[in-house]
Amino acid sequence: MPSRESYAVKRGKKQQHRRNEKKTSQEGSLFTAALGLNASVGSVPSLASSRSGPDPVKRTTAPSKPTSPASTFWQPIRSFALSQLTSLVRRATLRESDMVPKYEKVHNFKVHTFRGPHWCEYCANFMWGLIAQGVKCADCGLNVHKQCSKVVPNDCQPDLRHVKKVYSCDLTTLVKAHNTKRPMVVDMCIQEIEARGLQSEGLYRISGFSELIEDVKLAFDRDGEKADISSNGYEDINIITGALKLYFRELPIPLITYDAYPRFIETAKITDPEKRLESLHEALKLLPPAHIETLRYLMAHLKRVTDYEKENLMSSENLGIVFGPTLMRAPELDAMTALNDIRYQRLVVETLITNEDVLF
C-alpha cells in the first residue's frame, strides 16, 4: 500500500502538470489573437488535447468557457491592426482612374520682349536683340528662343500666377493648373444640380437670368473653387445649369475638339446602331485625356438626369438637343453646313448618354 508521502508527491506532480497545460493554452490564445484569428480560448486547440494522459477529466468535453481576460486585452490591438492593414491594402490597390492623371500639354508660346539681359531656359544661350528676343509660354512662363520653342517637349505645367481665370480657359490648362481630374466648375455645378435639381421640370432646357449667370461666372473667375453657388446665393437651379452650359460654350477648344469633330459627325450618319456604337467608341479615342474624362463625367450626370424623366421631362433626346451645339462646334464651316450638322450633333450626344455605361 502506498505511503502518504508518495501520494502527496503524485498529487503535486498532477497539479504542476495542470498548471503547465493551462499556461500553454493561454500562450496559444494570445498568439492567435495577435495574428487576428479567433481570440477565444475555446477556439484554440490546447496542446494537452493532443496528448494522451491517464486523467479522464481531460478527455471529457467541457462546456464553452467565457473569453479570457488576456484575449479581451488583445481585442482593441487586433482591431487597430486590422484597420491599419485594410487601409494599407486599400491604398496599394487604388485604381489608377481614382488618381489625378498626368495630362500632357503643349506650351502656349507667344512672342515676347524681354527687358534687360535674358537667357533661353531650354538651350541656356543668350537672347540677342532689343525687341521680340524670344517667346514666352502664357501658361507656365517658360522663356525660350523662337527656334527652341519648336523642340521643347510637351511638358507645360501651368501656374496659377499666369492662369487667372476659369471661363474661356483651355480645359487641359485649367485642370493642370489646379491639379484636378476635371475643371472644378464642372464638378461643383453638377454636384449642386444633383443635390437639389434633378426633379426640376425643364432642367437644362429652361434658362436662368443672364445677369445672375454672369455673376456665377465672375465668382468662379475670381474665387475658383471657393465660389459660393449654393441655394443661399442662387435659389434658382436654372442659374447653375446656365453657368455650366456657358462654361462649355466659352471653351476655346470645344469639349469634343475640332480635330475629332468630323469623325463624330460621320459616326452619327451610320444607320446601324451596333456599327455606330463601335465607330463612336473609336472616335472617343481622338479626344485629349482631360476632354474625355470631363465628357465621361458629364454623360454619367446626364444619364442620371434621364432617370428622373417623369419629373423633369428631360429625355436623352431632349438633352441631346440642348448639349449638341454646346459640346460640338463645326471647325470653320459655312453657315449652311453647320446648320445641317445640328441634327447629327444631337444624335451624337443622345447616343453618348444612352450608352454611357458601355462607351466609357
Side-chain angles (χ1 to χ4, degrees):
M1 184 173 182
S3 63
R4 181 177 298 179
E5 290 79 4
S6 61
Y7 176 78
V9 170
K10 290 182 179 181
R11 184 179 180 184
K13 289 183 179 180
K14 286 184 178 181
Q15 291 177 348
Q16 182 65 30
H17 181 64
R18 290 194 185 98
R19 284 195 295 268
N20 292 338
E21 288 179 343
K22 184 177 182 180
K23 182 178 179 181
T24 304
S25 176
Q26 290 180 349
E27 290 177 351
S29 300
L30 295 177
F31 179 72
T32 306
L35 290 177
L37 302 175
N38 191 346
S40 61
V41 176
S43 64
V44 181
S46 173
L47 296 179
S49 62
S50 61
R51 300 174 183 174
S52 60
D55 195 346
V57 178
K58 295 301 178 180
R59 296 180 179 273
T60 305
T61 303
S64 59
K65 297 181 181 180
T67 305
S68 66
S71 62
T72 304
F73 169 78
W74 279 98
Q75 188 65 28
I77 301 177
R78 171 179 173 268
S79 301
F80 175 76
L82 286 176
S83 64
Q84 293 297 312
L85 180 61
T86 303
S87 178
L88 288 173
V89 172
R90 184 182 296 112
R91 288 196 295 267
T93 59
L94 185 64
R95 294 180 304 172
E96 187 177 355
S97 59
D98 293 334
M99 303 178 183
V100 177
K102 297 183 179 300
Y103 297 140
E104 185 180 84
K105 180 186 179 304
V106 298
H107 290 274
N108 182 20
F109 287 119
K110 295 182 179 179
V111 177
H112 190 77
T113 297
F114 299 96
R115 295 181 179 180
H118 219 84
W119 282 263
C120 175
E121 297 180 25
Y122 181 75
C123 68
N125 290 324
F126 185 74
M127 292 184 178
W128 298 95
L130 298 176
I131 60 172
Q133 302 99 323
V135 293
K136 182 176 183 176
C137 179
D139 298 330
C140 68
L142 182 68
N143 305 315
V144 296
H145 289 110
K146 187 176 180 180
Q147 295 80 2
C148 293
S149 66
K150 301 176 182 179
V151 294
V152 171
N154 300 332
D155 58 354
C156 179
Q157 299 293 331
D159 194 326
L160 289 176
R161 293 176 299 176
H162 302 283
V163 182
K164 298 181 179 180
K165 60 181 180 179
V166 174
Y167 281 70
S168 302
C169 177
D170 175 65
L171 194 151
T172 304
T173 300
L174 186 66
V175 298
K176 284 182 70 69
H178 291 270
N179 193 31
T180 57
K181 294 176 66 175
R182 297 171 297 272
M184 92 288 291
V185 60
V186 176
D187 280 2
M188 292 177 63
C189 286
I190 287 180
Q191 290 169 8
E192 191 68 25
I193 293 166
E194 293 192 352
R196 58 186 176 98
L198 285 178
Q199 298 182 10
S200 177
E201 184 176 339
L203 188 67
Y204 286 113
R205 179 176 55 81
I206 299 177
S207 300
F209 291 105
S210 58
E211 295 83 0
L212 296 178
I213 294 176
E214 286 293 327
D215 286 344
V216 175
K217 172 185 174 181
L218 293 176
F220 275 115
D221 285 339
R222 181 182 64 250
D223 304 326
E225 59 186 10
K226 296 181 180 179
D228 182 15
I229 59 173
S230 64
S231 57
N232 296 330
Y234 306 96
E235 186 176 357
D236 185 5
I237 196 63
N238 296 313
I239 297 172
I240 309 303
T241 59
L244 180 61
K245 290 187 294 183
L246 180 63
Y247 171 77
F248 287 120
R249 284 198 301 267
E250 292 193 354
L251 282 175
I253 301 177
L255 190 60
I256 296 180
T257 60
Y258 293 124
D259 293 337
Y261 180 87
R263 181 65 181 273
F264 278 88
I265 295 298
E266 292 300 322
T267 294
K269 295 179 181 179
I270 300 176
T271 56
D272 184 81
E274 293 297 329
K275 292 183 178 180
R276 180 193 302 164
L277 208 60
E278 293 177 3
S279 180
L280 193 57
H281 185 268
E282 294 299 320
L284 288 171
K285 297 179 181 180
L286 301 177
L287 298 179
H291 285 245
I292 194 169
E293 169 59 26
T294 305
L295 183 63
R296 180 199 65 79
Y297 189 74
L298 177 63
M299 292 301 111
H301 161 66
L302 296 180
K303 184 68 174 294
R304 289 189 288 272
V305 171
T306 61
D307 292 339
Y308 295 84
E309 181 180 349
K310 292 183 179 179
E311 292 82 8
N312 56 39
L313 305 180
M314 295 301 292
S315 62
S316 58
E317 181 180 358
N318 294 337
L319 291 171
I321 295 173
V322 173
F323 278 94
T326 302
L327 305 181
M328 305 176 65
R329 295 198 296 272
E332 300 180 357
L333 296 180
D334 58 89
M336 186 57 66
T337 304
L339 188 62
N340 292 332
D341 284 352
I342 290 180
R343 57 174 178 169
Y344 298 118
Q345 295 171 355
R346 173 195 61 81
L347 191 56
V348 167
V349 176
E350 180 183 351
T351 307
L352 288 173
I353 296 173
T354 306
N355 302 279
E356 171 268 333
D357 55 339
V358 176
L359 292 171
F360 296 98

